[in-house]
Amino acid sequence: SLQTKPLVLGTTDKITVLDPAKTYDFYTWEVFQNIGEGLLKYKPGTTELIPGIAKSYEVSPDGLEYTFKLREGLKFTDGYPLNAAAVKWSIDRVMKLDLDPSWLVSAFVERVEVVDTYTVKFVLKEPVSFFPALVATTPYTPVSPKSFPEDKVAEPTVGHYGPYRIKKWTRDVQLVLEANPDYYGSPPKSRLFVVKFYKNAATMRLALETGEIDVAWKSLRPIDIRDLKAKGKQKVLEVPGPYIRYIVCRCNKPPFDDVRLRRAIAAAIDRARICQEAYKGTVKPLYSMVPMGMWGHIDAFKQEYGERNLELARKILTEAGYSKDNPFNIEFWYTPTHYGDLEADVAAVIKESLEETGMIKIDLKSAEWATYAAEYLTAGVMPIFLLGWYPDYIDPDDYTSVFLHSEWSPDMGVFYSNPEMDRLLDKARTEIGIEKRTQLYEKIQKLMAEEAPVIPLFQGVLTAATQPNVKGVVLDPVMLLRYYLIYKE
Amino acid sequence: MASLRVYVIRRVLVAIPMIFILLGIVFFIMRVVGDPVSAILGGHAPQEQIERIKEQLGLNKPILFQFFDYLGQLLRGDLGRSLIWGQRPVISEIWDHFPATLELSICAFLVSILVGIFTGIIAATNFGRFFDHAFRLYGIITYGLFIPWIGIMLQLIFGVYLGVLPIGGRIGTLMEPETITGLYVLDSLLTLNMESFISAIRHLILPSLTLGIYLSGIYTRLTRTHLIEVLNKDFIKSAWARGLPKRTVIFKHALKNAFIPILTMMGLQFALLLVGAVLTEITFSWPGMGTLLFERITYRDFTTVQGIIVFFALIVITVSLLVDVIYAYIDPRIRY
Amino acid sequence: MKYSISRFIVSNIIKNIFPRKGTEYFVLVGFILVLLIILMAIFAPFIAPYDPIKKVGEILERPSGKFLLGTDGLGRDVLSRIIFGARTAVLVTFLAVSISLSFGVLLGLLSGYTGGKFDTVFSLVMDAMYSFPGLILAIVLAAMLGPGILNTAMAIAVIYTPTYFRMVRGLVLSLKESLFVEAARAIGAKDRTIVFKYIFPNVISSIPIVLSLNAADAVLTLAALSFLGLGLPAPTPDWGFDLRAGHAYLASRIWWPSTFPGLMIVILTLGFSLLGEGLNEILNPELRR
Amino acid sequence: MKNLLTIQDLRVYYYLREGAVRAVDGVSFFMKRGETVGLVGESGSGKSTLGLSILKLVSSPGKIVSGKILFNGNDIAGWNEKKMRLLRGSRISMVFQDPMTSLNPLMRIEEHLVETIRTHQKIPKAEAKKKASLLLNEVGIPPERGGDYPHQFSGGMRQRIGIALAIALNPDLLIADEFTSSLDVIVQFQILNLMKKLKASHQMGLIFISHDISLVSEIADRIALMYAGQIVEFAPADIFFSEPLHPYSEGLLNSVPNIELSDQKLNYIPGMPPDLVRPPDGCRFYPRCPYGEDICRRKEPPLVQIEKEHMVKCFRYDGKKSRT
Amino acid sequence: MERKVELKVVNLKKYFPVQKSFLERLLSGKIEYVQAVNRISFEVRRGEVFGLVGESGCGKTTTGRLITRLIEPTEGKIIFKGEDVTFIQGERLREFRKYVQIIFQNPYASLNPRMRIGEATAHPLEIHGIATGERKKKMVFEMLEKVGLEPAKKFYDLYPFELSGGQRQRVAIARAMILNPELVVADEPISMIDVSLRAKILELMLMLKEERNLTYVFITHDLAVAKYISDWIGIMYLGEIVEIGRKEQIFSTPYHPYTKALLSAIPVPDPKREKKDIKLKGEVPSSINPPSGCRFHPRCSFAKDKCSNLKPSLKMVDKDHYVACHLY
Ligand SMILES: Nc1ncnc2c1ncn2[C@@H]1O[C@H](COP(=O)(O)OP(=O)(O)OP(=O)(O)O)[C@@H](O)[C@H]1O
Ligand SMILES: Nc1ncnc2c1ncn2[C@@H]1O[C@H](COP(=O)(O)OP(=O)(O)OP(=O)(O)O)[C@@H](O)[C@H]1O
Ligand SMILES: [Mg+2]
Ligand SMILES: [Mg+2]
């Protein structure tokens, strides 16, 4: 019944909610990159922003007003015109609904004004250096007032505008996309694109091997990646992604209100072993919260402690009054239900590597994700625990302020507060000009390594495995796969 | 048949208190062990926000009122909305997943019944001899099998080593038949879509075998005991004494009578079928109710979990009702 | 009286422990399997070749002379893990069964003997719970209670209490109507005497059967909860959990981390079921067929 | 006149783990066309087993070990299942004790009859139905109730239906196993009368199995008294009741209260019947026998013929009626 | 010589609901009653045996259980030695149990399978605090020997399942007699015992009666047995007593058509006896909706119009001989 054989991509992720005002997870954002488009977008393969629905934009000298000129004559897939009014309506809707991702708009944008049919102006609350990056995020994606209700979350399959449009969507089973004939740009490389949702990575891998799917994307297990590489029948593409994992120390209460203990942990942790043993080398050790590949990154923790320094750790612990006979006893928490099956392994390796000091005694504790994230984390129940971070927008700010700024760090369970740090972060946020900001972030990272409220562990690696004839899989730090570039030869 | 109709009506009436009790149990267990507000907000929300949500959800009222509110809601067919993501109505989440579970359950049920009754008959008619012992053992062993383990073993053999059958999912890419009943096998037959039909069957084989084998042991045992019991009854002796052929005696007289207690047990075992289906679904990534339940529990999607349980409860009651009615239909003694 | 019941049971077991015919091997085999696993649990530290929660070899090594059943995804010895896993299984099963047994039997006796409204309501509730798919309740309970030995045991116990309740209540009801209880009343026995001297001894003899069949169910339920990650916290060796961890390596044809823990679950369950079946034959000779 | 049925030295054992239960152990007797043999004995003496073995329906673990069953002159002991099937229900039929359970609860009684008739006679359904109504009428059930289920009938009526089923094909021999013992006396009386009537009109032989010796006396022409798997006395009914020879016969008759007698002195037989797995070596009745002598303990007494049709299994008689 | 009245039953009635539980009632939509015993009255005199005869299901056992206060009557009075015991409870009921005992029909079910013979027999002594320790044991041994369970020492330690039916019934008798009761209700005590042993049990019961001047209510469905053991006989039909009289009167001059039918239906071990015919139609109707008027009228060949409307009451036809029938 199908004239063209579709390109099939498998993933173990899922579409949570197909509404830009509500969705706040990476995978659904990826879908919006393909069925929708922001005013600005990233050039594939880079972190460089290029025009999207907007042809161009201007910033007022005070950095408070951004004026976008839209492309003309665009239509949503429900036929409704995509103009300045629709953009304003969409942004207003996000702010009014006030759901999970809305802070990405409402924290920065004062209001949106329609200047003329194709010109729209964003008035900011205060200058934000990374506003264009924000504009490229999903909450800024315009949707059609015809298909989306103004006052509640909805998941229509029409009313978007992007290279693809939805042909059929069976939740948790598959998403069938077809080329959007009204798209301004070059049409997608594959006319028909199917995303198959898997619950189980092993199944997905077998599907790849049997040729049922063309691309396996987020997330094959390390062991499968190793196997596939070894077999060599499929292509395996890897690139460091902006996804990071780290340890959080609860800084406001004993024992980790004592900076020495945090430093001891930071020194004793064995990143290499975690990457090798739990992840079979599919992730990379990380020495700063700002991920590798992002401007401003320095290996701050390596500079401070070296790759691993057991001696230093023992020294600090001795200073803090611990010894082999009087070890530092601590509960270490992790969650088995959110970060994949390997989390327990990660925790076990951490336990071993810390206990190698001979002066630390770890009691591993776990809680399922809802309790972990919704209750324990913010209530400060867990003295030290594992967490992970996917960025909201691609800027060092998103990797630092949230953890280190006294205003937000309680939300992340860090409870860290340092006026000097707050000052540096605030400055870096508003400063325009990449040089100055780079310097600021280097300072921030150094201070972070000294104080070690959070201890970076490793950076995720983006891996996609494809059939040999598949081309156009562009993996980039933005982490959102552009389906419209993929095709089969 | 008027009396049968009256019986059915009465039986339905009797089911009502059962429904209340089950709903009550579900409701109170969920209230006792879970806190929906913190599930929605996370533990650190300010007090006034907690109060606001409580009021929105009616959680500030006494628990009995809450229960009656909840019942009222249920009567309108409203199971509430999911707490996460799109906050979709729970009922649509359920309808999305239920056909998959239904399809799997039906197939597994058929497998288990066919295998179970067949082996049971052989065991009973060979009472005390080799096949009897062998199938008794079969019954005990299968009952002790752990579904995920059988599943994984089958996946290893047929999916990984032989590579002949898929080990997950319901159907091949873009092969879904047009939705009529939601059961792929049936829909593809109705729309004469052979490609879909084959794919659906191929995907069904391993999960239904897993669940079917597990359940078949119970039917082996049931069939065996009840058939032996019936075969020892005077009316069977009397049937032999009248010179009726073996086929008639075993199938027409014995099996039909043995079927009545088996049917009752089927009703009771239905819960086991559901339990098995949950585990099978998770092992085979089958997009059904079990997978949904498991996913939502890990996200603490309180209302969806409650909705699913209520739905299961209603199914259980409906099935036991159905069983009783079929029972009354088969057995003339039951009709009052 | 205590003596008499135990003598009755024990003498019957001894009489049957060396079976002469087909199905009577059931109880012997079941008994041996269960005993072996209990011994394994008790003496785990002496039997296990390695520390079950330490990396002792390369990851995912095939079974070999060094690691008889290979290593798991973290380089831990699979054999040692399943040996220690017996502890978890035995302990949780024991706890769960004891809890549900005590509650179920007590409530069943009370409810059955007193009768009346209390009984009606109670047995309706228990029936409802019984008819409900148990594992699903257990999943919800376990998820809400969080991981841990006692919590898991509680979640399992809750769903099996109705089994005992129903059995005991049913027995009590029929015993209450039985002629020998009526005879006891005719000689002027008080209620308490009737319950403890006439009803209870007759109830207790059926308990071993249900108990071992239930233990089989409890093992499966525990395995299921662990398989779903709702059982004990890692890195406690736990068959269900290890089975699930092993499931990940399926596509790589790495079968040993999943096959063996699963096999242990099956063996222990089988042991309990065989024991239950056998006891059933021994203690209820009239049901023998 | 030729014998309808002759049983010679029949042995039927149940093979249990404890050993073989010798339920029928060397039984011989005969009956003529149209006669009634009353098979009497206490519970467990092997009456039902004997009855069933005539149809070769002894259920596992029971087996016919040896002996002859001559029916109309043919030894059916050696017949295969297929041949036996044709015999059952048509030439020899059987009525069972419990009218509650001897009919299939899920089948209308008419279906029972039609099924039986059509198993043995290839006639159209309608004709079989007509025959069924006639039969019901004959046993005193209104034929219009043919469409009812067994549970809708009372015990007596069900037993009548059982009889209708048994005589449906005009058998030569009817075996009735305790078929009135669950009925009340008055109904029992009615059924017994019906049986007598049918027996006469159908020219059937009847083996009437019962533990109630008084009841047997009402219908039997000959009495076969069983004790522990053996026939200890076989005699014409009037002789048996007036002059019982075997000590067991004597004891039994004396232990039954008789409503006709006033100031009856009841007797009883001490002890209990033997275990049929390990019966006593000599005479099986020896342990309970008031006249037991040494020889009785050592040797099994033969079944001796006293008169032409009177046999007794006791050393006290030696081919004559007088005691030796 | 007129003996003292030991037990008097007046208009005793017992209805059992058919639908026992709430759910059953809901399922069938109505409440029906089994009219098991319907206004029966009789007297039993000290030292005599009152035989209660009737067909299966006519309410004999129910009457026995009512008399021994094992179930509560729906209506009516039970007077034991001049005292109204219909509703006594607690200690007084326990005291009553010392004097009134019952032996059940089924010896396989009336003994606790988990209790040794000795314990079972001794239990009444313990309950009523009559004897303990060695004295108790001695009394039990004596009793066991008296009922013929010799050697008592051996039987003392056996379990019921190790005994035959006759032996079990002896245990039941021993247990009933050990308290030295005055009135014993024997509910078909021999019907489940082998024919050859029945006479022995009857003899034992008669011996005990003579020895202790006991009063028996002897329930049986077998007129021949009743004739053998009783002084008085009451004929029951469908929950009602249709005829009462001294044994000789019942057998020589039965009045009620039902009694007559019963008498002629009883088989007699004598093939030469001339067979009488009985003019009786049908079978016993259900006691849930019993016939109106005289409950026997649908089967009676002498029934008149009156019989279907009016319930006949017991009328004296001779001295000590009562009949409930419109014919007289
Ligand atoms: N299926 C069987 N398996 C083993 N033993 C059996 C079986 N049927 C009968 N017996 C034994 O065979 C013996 C004779 O049994 P049978 O039923 O023929 O006696 P019966 O005279 O008909 O007794 P009743 O009057 O109780 O019906 C008994 O000892 C009985 O226990
Ligand atoms: N506990 C009860 N509940 C309901 N109905 C009962 C109960 N006990 C007896 N009946 C009914 O009452 C009627 C009389 O029963 P009862 O046992 O007194 O008769 P019976 O004369 O002793 O009969 P049998 O000779 O069979 O022992 C029967 O119809 C019986 O079904
Ligand atoms: Mg018999
Ligand atoms: Mg009775």
PDB file of all heavy atoms in Angstrom, chain E residues 291-307:
ATOM      1  N   PRO E 291     -48.360 -29.513  51.615  1.00  0.00           N
ATOM      2  CA  PRO E 291     -49.778 -29.428  51.250  1.00  0.00           C
ATOM      3  C   PRO E 291     -50.581 -28.775  52.373  1.00  0.00           C
ATOM      4  O   PRO E 291     -50.227 -28.896  53.548  1.00  0.00           O
ATOM      5  CB  PRO E 291     -50.195 -30.888  51.077  1.00  0.00           C
ATOM      6  CG  PRO E 291     -48.938 -31.651  50.949  1.00  0.00           C
ATOM      7  CD  PRO E 291     -47.884 -30.888  51.642  1.00  0.00           C
ATOM      8  N   SER E 292     -51.652 -28.131  51.986  1.00  0.00           N
ATOM      9  CA  SER E 292     -52.504 -27.501  52.995  1.00  0.00           C
ATOM     10  C   SER E 292     -53.342 -28.584  53.684  1.00  0.00           C
ATOM     11  O   SER E 292     -53.362 -29.734  53.262  1.00  0.00           O
ATOM     12  CB  SER E 292     -53.432 -26.490  52.317  1.00  0.00           C
ATOM     13  OG  SER E 292     -54.207 -27.178  51.354  1.00  0.00           O
ATOM     14  N   GLY E 293     -54.019 -28.156  54.720  1.00  0.00           N
ATOM     15  CA  GLY E 293     -54.874 -29.098  55.436  1.00  0.00           C
ATOM     16  C   GLY E 293     -54.070 -30.235  56.019  1.00  0.00           C
ATOM     17  O   GLY E 293     -53.000 -30.027  56.593  1.00  0.00           O
ATOM     18  N   CYS E 294     -54.567 -31.449  55.840  1.00  0.00           N
ATOM     19  CA  CYS E 294     -53.807 -32.607  56.275  1.00  0.00           C
ATOM     20  C   CYS E 294     -52.666 -32.796  55.309  1.00  0.00           C
ATOM     21  O   CYS E 294     -52.873 -32.890  54.099  1.00  0.00           O
ATOM     22  CB  CYS E 294     -54.699 -33.851  56.277  1.00  0.00           C
ATOM     23  SG  CYS E 294     -53.756 -35.357  56.545  1.00  0.00           S
ATOM     24  N   ARG E 295     -51.459 -32.845  55.814  1.00  0.00           N
ATOM     25  CA  ARG E 295     -50.308 -32.911  54.918  1.00  0.00           C
ATOM     26  C   ARG E 295     -50.266 -34.211  54.130  1.00  0.00           C
ATOM     27  O   ARG E 295     -49.539 -34.326  53.156  1.00  0.00           O
ATOM     28  CB  ARG E 295     -49.020 -32.745  55.723  1.00  0.00           C
ATOM     29  CG  ARG E 295     -48.867 -31.320  56.200  1.00  0.00           C
ATOM     30  CD  ARG E 295     -47.503 -31.071  56.763  1.00  0.00           C
ATOM     31  NE  ARG E 295     -47.345 -29.647  57.023  1.00  0.00           N
ATOM     32  CZ  ARG E 295     -46.249 -29.106  57.507  1.00  0.00           C
ATOM     33  NH1 ARG E 295     -45.233 -29.875  57.809  1.00  0.00           N
ATOM     34  NH2 ARG E 295     -46.180 -27.819  57.699  1.00  0.00           N
ATOM     35  N   PHE E 296     -51.027 -35.160  54.558  1.00  0.00           N
ATOM     36  CA  PHE E 296     -50.995 -36.458  53.895  1.00  0.00           C
ATOM     37  C   PHE E 296     -52.052 -36.573  52.792  1.00  0.00           C
ATOM     38  O   PHE E 296     -52.006 -37.500  51.985  1.00  0.00           O
ATOM     39  CB  PHE E 296     -51.205 -37.550  54.964  1.00  0.00           C
ATOM     40  CG  PHE E 296     -51.037 -38.948  54.445  1.00  0.00           C
ATOM     41  CD1 PHE E 296     -49.822 -39.368  53.919  1.00  0.00           C
ATOM     42  CD2 PHE E 296     -52.093 -39.847  54.474  1.00  0.00           C
ATOM     43  CE1 PHE E 296     -49.657 -40.648  53.444  1.00  0.00           C
ATOM     44  CE2 PHE E 296     -51.935 -41.136  53.988  1.00  0.00           C
ATOM     45  CZ  PHE E 296     -50.709 -41.539  53.473  1.00  0.00           C
ATOM     46  N   HIS E 297     -52.963 -35.595  52.728  1.00  0.00           N
ATOM     47  CA  HIS E 297     -54.128 -35.820  51.877  1.00  0.00           C
ATOM     48  C   HIS E 297     -53.842 -36.086  50.401  1.00  0.00           C
ATOM     49  O   HIS E 297     -54.542 -36.874  49.785  1.00  0.00           O
ATOM     50  CB  HIS E 297     -55.165 -34.688  52.053  1.00  0.00           C
ATOM     51  CG  HIS E 297     -54.901 -33.481  51.216  1.00  0.00           C
ATOM     52  ND1 HIS E 297     -54.240 -32.378  51.691  1.00  0.00           N
ATOM     53  CD2 HIS E 297     -55.218 -33.216  49.926  1.00  0.00           C
ATOM     54  CE1 HIS E 297     -54.160 -31.487  50.721  1.00  0.00           C
ATOM     55  NE2 HIS E 297     -54.735 -31.976  49.652  1.00  0.00           N
ATOM     56  N   PRO E 298     -52.777 -35.475  49.789  1.00  0.00           N
ATOM     57  CA  PRO E 298     -52.597 -35.772  48.359  1.00  0.00           C
ATOM     58  C   PRO E 298     -52.275 -37.243  48.080  1.00  0.00           C
ATOM     59  O   PRO E 298     -52.467 -37.718  46.967  1.00  0.00           O
ATOM     60  CB  PRO E 298     -51.412 -34.889  47.963  1.00  0.00           C
ATOM     61  CG  PRO E 298     -51.308 -33.869  49.039  1.00  0.00           C
ATOM     62  CD  PRO E 298     -51.804 -34.528  50.287  1.00  0.00           C
ATOM     63  N   ARG E 299     -51.805 -37.961  49.072  1.00  0.00           N
ATOM     64  CA  ARG E 299     -51.433 -39.352  48.830  1.00  0.00           C
ATOM     65  C   ARG E 299     -52.468 -40.329  49.386  1.00  0.00           C
ATOM     66  O   ARG E 299     -52.342 -41.539  49.214  1.00  0.00           O
ATOM     67  CB  ARG E 299     -50.077 -39.656  49.480  1.00  0.00           C
ATOM     68  CG  ARG E 299     -48.947 -38.782  48.967  1.00  0.00           C
ATOM     69  CD  ARG E 299     -47.680 -39.058  49.725  1.00  0.00           C
ATOM     70  NE  ARG E 299     -47.085 -40.341  49.349  1.00  0.00           N
ATOM     71  CZ  ARG E 299     -46.102 -40.919  50.016  1.00  0.00           C
ATOM     72  NH1 ARG E 299     -45.635 -40.358  51.102  1.00  0.00           N
ATOM     73  NH2 ARG E 299     -45.620 -42.074  49.613  1.00  0.00           N
ATOM     74  N   CYS E 300     -53.446 -39.782  50.070  1.00  0.00           N
ATOM     75  CA  CYS E 300     -54.359 -40.640  50.819  1.00  0.00           C
ATOM     76  C   CYS E 300     -55.528 -41.074  49.934  1.00  0.00           C
ATOM     77  O   CYS E 300     -56.127 -40.264  49.231  1.00  0.00           O
ATOM     78  CB  CYS E 300     -54.869 -39.867  52.029  1.00  0.00           C
ATOM     79  SG  CYS E 300     -56.013 -40.790  53.053  1.00  0.00           S
ATOM     80  N   SER E 301     -55.827 -42.349  49.962  1.00  0.00           N
ATOM     81  CA  SER E 301     -56.927 -42.795  49.099  1.00  0.00           C
ATOM     82  C   SER E 301     -58.302 -42.596  49.759  1.00  0.00           C
ATOM     83  O   SER E 301     -59.321 -42.809  49.129  1.00  0.00           O
ATOM     84  CB  SER E 301     -56.719 -44.246  48.697  1.00  0.00           C
ATOM     85  OG  SER E 301     -56.218 -44.978  49.769  1.00  0.00           O
ATOM     86  N   PHE E 302     -58.274 -42.179  51.023  1.00  0.00           N
ATOM     87  CA  PHE E 302     -59.568 -41.918  51.677  1.00  0.00           C
ATOM     88  C   PHE E 302     -59.846 -40.431  51.817  1.00  0.00           C
ATOM     89  O   PHE E 302     -60.750 -40.034  52.527  1.00  0.00           O
ATOM     90  CB  PHE E 302     -59.592 -42.550  53.079  1.00  0.00           C
ATOM     91  CG  PHE E 302     -59.168 -43.996  53.082  1.00  0.00           C
ATOM     92  CD1 PHE E 302     -57.930 -44.376  53.560  1.00  0.00           C
ATOM     93  CD2 PHE E 302     -60.040 -44.969  52.578  1.00  0.00           C
ATOM     94  CE1 PHE E 302     -57.536 -45.701  53.551  1.00  0.00           C
ATOM     95  CE2 PHE E 302     -59.647 -46.296  52.568  1.00  0.00           C
ATOM     96  CZ  PHE E 302     -58.396 -46.661  53.055  1.00  0.00           C
ATOM     97  N   ALA E 303     -59.013 -39.615  51.178  1.00  0.00           N
ATOM     98  CA  ALA E 303     -59.116 -38.176  51.424  1.00  0.00           C
ATOM     99  C   ALA E 303     -60.480 -37.628  51.033  1.00  0.00           C
ATOM    100  O   ALA E 303     -61.058 -37.997  50.016  1.00  0.00           O
ATOM    101  CB  ALA E 303     -58.031 -37.451  50.648  1.00  0.00           C
ATOM    102  N   LYS E 304     -60.978 -36.747  51.913  1.00  0.00           N
ATOM    103  CA  LYS E 304     -62.228 -36.057  51.632  1.00  0.00           C
ATOM    104  C   LYS E 304     -61.898 -34.589  51.387  1.00  0.00           C
ATOM    105  O   LYS E 304     -60.757 -34.163  51.528  1.00  0.00           O
ATOM    106  CB  LYS E 304     -63.160 -36.202  52.839  1.00  0.00           C
ATOM    107  CG  LYS E 304     -63.486 -37.669  53.152  1.00  0.00           C
ATOM    108  CD  LYS E 304     -64.336 -37.777  54.381  1.00  0.00           C
ATOM    109  CE  LYS E 304     -63.500 -37.570  55.638  1.00  0.00           C
ATOM    110  NZ  LYS E 304     -64.212 -37.937  56.863  1.00  0.00           N
ATOM    111  N   ASP E 305     -62.937 -33.831  51.026  1.00  0.00           N
ATOM    112  CA  ASP E 305     -62.719 -32.400  50.765  1.00  0.00           C
ATOM    113  C   ASP E 305     -62.084 -31.715  51.959  1.00  0.00           C
ATOM    114  O   ASP E 305     -61.172 -30.903  51.842  1.00  0.00           O
ATOM    115  CB  ASP E 305     -64.062 -31.704  50.478  1.00  0.00           C
ATOM    116  CG  ASP E 305     -64.543 -32.061  49.100  1.00  0.00           C
ATOM    117  OD1 ASP E 305     -63.729 -32.677  48.350  1.00  0.00           O
ATOM    118  OD2 ASP E 305     -65.697 -31.759  48.778  1.00  0.00           O
ATOM    119  N   LYS E 306     -62.626 -32.044  53.086  1.00  0.00           N
ATOM    120  CA  LYS E 306     -62.214 -31.456  54.345  1.00  0.00           C
ATOM    121  C   LYS E 306     -60.698 -31.585  54.568  1.00  0.00           C
ATOM    122  O   LYS E 306     -60.047 -30.666  55.081  1.00  0.00           O
ATOM    123  CB  LYS E 306     -62.953 -32.225  55.446  1.00  0.00           C
ATOM    124  CG  LYS E 306     -62.825 -31.713  56.833  1.00  0.00           C
ATOM    125  CD  LYS E 306     -63.700 -32.615  57.709  1.00  0.00           C
ATOM    126  CE  LYS E 306     -63.484 -32.397  59.176  1.00  0.00           C
ATOM    127  NZ  LYS E 306     -64.200 -33.437  59.934  1.00  0.00           N
ATOM    128  N   CYS E 307     -60.178 -32.735  54.135  1.00  0.00           N
ATOM    129  CA  CYS E 307     -58.770 -33.016  54.399  1.00  0.00           C
ATOM    130  C   CYS E 307     -57.841 -31.996  53.769  1.00  0.00           C
ATOM    131  O   CYS E 307     -56.752 -31.744  54.264  1.00  0.00           O
ATOM    132  CB  CYS E 307     -58.402 -34.399  53.883  1.00  0.00           C
ATOM    133  SG  CYS E 307     -59.337 -35.699  54.665  1.00  0.00           S
TER     134      CYS E 307
END
